[in-house]
Amino acid sequence: MKIVISIDSFKGSLTSMEAGEAFRDGSIKAAPDADVVVKPLADGGEGTAEALVEGMGGVWIRTEVSGPQKERREISYGWFPENRLAVMEMAAAAGLTLLPEGERNALYTTTYGVGEMIRDALERGARQFLLGIGGSATNDCGLGMMTALGIKFLDAGGKEAGITGEDTGRVRKIDCSGLIPQLRECRFQVACDVTNVLCGSQGATYVYGPQKGIPSDQLSFMDDCHKNFARCTEEAVGEDFSCRPGAGAAGGLGLSLMAFLGAELLPGAELVMRTLGIEKEIAGADLVITGEGRIDGQTSMGKGPMGIARIARKYRVPVIGIGGSVTKEAETAMEPEMDALFSVLREPLTLKEAMEPERAKENLRRTGEQIVRMVRTFENGSRRRSEITK
């Protein structure tokens, strides 16, 4: 019996690998002879770098970069020297959670630190990049990032325009001649579940600007700044990327990633699963286990566990979902893709108690043991009936 376990993190409690390994321990107790494979899972947002580093045996690199308000801060990214691969989350350098609510205003924040992070990896020899771009505090169209990587953005007077969101409106000419040459040898794959274009009512500013602190009376101004930046970018690279799906992701960072770095934007869960080779493991499995801390209606909207379930369905492998909690709406939403859903909680607990790491691990171990016992029981019963029939 081959069991593939790929569970997203129980946020605030367990990493993806910790959750998967706890369930594995229970599974092996029920079926010592089983071939149990644990693969981490993430959807491109927070925890993606952690999942890939744990799942692929990478190391963490610590370096100092500029934060969203140009303050210096220490950040980490994953490094795989044998593959020359760097795994990064832009939120480590320019994330919304780095700023207190009262200090958020994407008119004045920058992605410069993201460019510094990429530059650091380049200097170590990186030529492949996996970049998660969820959770940004910025709206600068990647102006800061690309400035750190050598491109000059000039204003009407021929001086550097700046590196913040509002500075995108000052750009009049883009000089790409100083782009770090090694970048032309690199491949960028970007975990991005946002399909917004850059400008307009469904663009970066109007949809995401308010949560990043842009005042309502400044939204039109900021959108005009983005239109200006898009025109200048088109003149520089000879192609309009502003209306492509994902151009508006991370405050327009998607635009620069595609236009200047030739990046490929992919759904986060798909990118992680592809990188970890999860489909190959599922193709030969007898049972698949997936889940996350809370399984609800949002889980069915392209999150990691749904991606796992769809691969299992492709190969007609039974798939069971587990979570710290499973809502009623989830049962309806997930029914076409998952064979069963289970909560790992076995007794009344407060949320704080349920999220205690050791308790969460124990609940996963016990649930893993009972689910595999049940599956093994039906498997043995079917075998006995088959023998009697013969």
Side-chain angles (χ1 to χ4, degrees):
M1 178 189 233
K2 180 178 179 180
I3 304 170
V4 174
I5 301 168
S6 188
I7 304 170
D8 208 336
S9 64
F10 279 38
K11 288 184 174 58
S13 180
L14 302 175
T15 68
S16 174
M17 282 298 289
E18 286 172 339
E21 288 170 352
F23 194 96
R24 178 200 61 195
D25 293 344
S27 302
I28 291 174
K29 187 174 181 181
D33 58 337
D35 175 15
V36 183
V37 176
V38 178
K39 290 285 187 179
L41 182 62
D43 59 12
E46 180 185 355
T48 296
E50 184 177 52
L52 290 171
V53 169
E54 288 186 336
M56 297 168 62
V59 297
W60 288 106
I61 298 296
R62 297 194 67 80
T63 188
E64 188 178 89
V65 302
S66 296
Q69 293 180 331
K70 307 177 187 177
E71 76 283 7
R72 301 303 290 177
R73 63 171 58 246
E74 193 175 71
I75 59 90
S76 300
Y77 64 87
W79 174 231
F80 302 82
E82 66 281 4
N83 299 324
R84 305 177 80 183
L85 168 67
V87 178
M88 302 174 164
E89 294 177 17
M90 74 84 63
L96 193 62
T97 58
L98 301 179
L99 301 176
E101 284 194 29
E103 296 180 17
R104 296 174 182 176
N105 190 335
L107 285 166
Y108 311 120
T109 53
T110 181
T111 56
Y112 192 88
V114 180
E116 291 180 302
M117 184 164 53
I118 292 171
R119 195 171 65 203
D120 184 88
L122 273 176
E123 291 171 356
R124 296 177 191 276
R127 294 298 181 267
Q128 296 188 71
F129 291 82
L130 296 183
L131 178 63
I133 60 173
S136 72
T138 54
N139 206 48
D140 72 350
C141 292
L143 170 61
M145 176 184 72
M146 296 313 305
T147 298
L149 294 176
I151 291 181
K152 289 185 178 180
F153 297 87
L154 307 174
D155 63 16
K159 297 180 179 180
E160 294 193 14
I163 58 173
T164 68
E166 66 172 357
D167 293 331
T168 58
R170 298 192 177 98
V171 177
R172 293 296 179 271
K173 183 180 179 181
I174 301 176
D175 179 0
C176 296
S177 63
L179 183 70
I180 298 173
Q182 291 88 341
L183 286 167
R184 305 188 190 283
E185 306 168 11
C186 296
R187 181 188 185 195
F188 285 83
Q189 291 183 294
V190 179
C192 176
D193 292 319
V194 169
T195 58
N196 301 77
V197 296
L198 181 65
C199 304
S201 62
Q202 297 304 307
T205 297
Y206 280 104
V207 176
Y208 301 105
Q211 72 190 45
K212 300 178 184 183
I214 299 179
S216 58
D217 61 356
Q218 294 292 301
L219 294 175
S220 177
F221 162 74
M222 190 74 256
D223 193 55
D224 287 340
C225 289
H226 280 192
K227 290 175 183 176
N228 171 72
F229 188 86
R231 285 193 298 269
C232 295
T233 300
E234 183 179 2
E235 290 174 5
V237 303
E239 189 173 349
D240 180 13
F241 285 85
S242 64
C243 292
R244 291 197 181 187
L253 186 67
L255 174 83
S256 282
L257 285 165
M258 290 188 286
F260 298 116
L261 298 177
E264 180 184 13
L265 273 57
L266 296 166
E270 177 186 325
L271 178 55
V272 171
M273 289 186 286
R274 178 194 296 183
T275 303
L276 292 173
I278 290 177
E279 181 166 351
K280 181 180 178 181
E281 294 291 352
I282 289 176
D286 299 295
L287 175 67
V288 170
I289 305 293
T290 188
E292 59 183 337
R294 174 183 168 89
I295 298 181
D296 55 23
Q298 292 186 18
T299 305
S300 66
M301 299 178 184
K303 295 181 75 175
M306 181 57 80
I308 293 292
R310 285 174 177 157
I311 294 175
R313 275 283 176 262
K314 176 180 175 181
Y315 294 99
R316 298 182 180 180
V317 180
V319 57
I320 293 174
I322 61 167
S325 68
V326 179
T327 67
K328 187 175 181 180
E329 62 177 342
E331 294 177 3
T332 301
M334 303 296 285
E335 185 177 347
E337 306 295 343
M338 293 197 186
D339 294 291
L341 293 171
F342 290 89
S343 168
V344 303
L345 298 183
R346 302 167 60 87
E347 58 187 325
L349 295 171
T350 66
L351 179 60
K352 182 179 179 181
E353 290 171 334
M355 291 180 65
E356 291 173 1
E358 288 308 313
R359 191 190 297 267
K361 288 179 183 178
E362 179 60 20
N363 283 335
L364 281 158
R365 282 192 289 266
R366 294 171 69 186
T367 302
E369 180 181 355
Q370 295 308 312
I371 287 176
V372 174
R373 282 188 185 280
M374 177 185 67
V375 172
R376 178 54 60 90
T377 297
F378 281 107
E379 189 180 66
N380 291 339
S382 296
R383 188 180 298 114
R384 284 195 295 270
R385 285 192 298 273
S386 177
E387 291 171 354
I388 292 171
T389 302
K390 289 179 182 178

